[in-house]
Amino acid sequence: KLPIRGTVLMNNGTATVNTIYVKSDSIIILTVQQNTIGTGAVFVSSRIVGQSFTIMGSSSLNSVNVGYMIYDS
C-alpha cells in the first residue's frame, strides 16, 4: 500500500492537514520543503483519527511548506 503524501503551508508555526487517512497508530513523516534558515524542528502535535492532524514547529517562521507522508503501521 502506497503512503498518503502531500504538502501544507505552515503559518506562524502551525498547520492542519485534513485527511481521512490518519489513524491513531499512523506513522507521519515530515520534512521542510525549502532551505529556510531558522525553521527549526517540525512535529505532529495532535491528531484526530479519520479527520486531521496538526503540525507545529519549534520556530514561528511564516510561510514554510512542509511535506508529509502517512504510513499505516
Side-chain angles (χ1 to χ4, degrees), residues 5 10 18 25-26 31 54 56-57 59 61-62 69 71:
R5 61 196 183 282
M10 190 168 68
N18 295 309
D25 60 349
S26 294
T31 184
T54 301
M56 293 188 74
S59 173
L61 289 178
N62 291 326
M69 292 194 329
Y71 288 91

Side-chain angles (χ1 to χ4, degrees), residues 40-52:
V42 292
F43 56 92
V44 175
S45 62
S46 65
R47 66 179 81 197
I48 301 172
V49 174
Q51 185 175 336
S52 66

Side-chain angles (χ1 to χ4, degrees), residues 32-47:
V32 175
Q33 296 298 296
Q34 63 260 52
N35 187 13
T36 305
I37 296 172
T39 301
V42 292
F43 56 92
V44 175
S45 62
S46 65
R47 66 179 81 197

Side-chain angles (χ1 to χ4, degrees), residues 10-40:
M10 190 168 68
N11 283 312
N12 298 319
T14 188
T16 299
V17 177
N18 295 309
T19 177
I20 62 171
Y21 299 106
V22 67
K23 299 178 182 178
S24 61
D25 60 349
S26 294
I27 296 170
I28 303 172
I29 298 172
L30 306 172
T31 184
V32 175
Q33 296 298 296
Q34 63 260 52
N35 187 13
T36 305
I37 296 172
T39 301

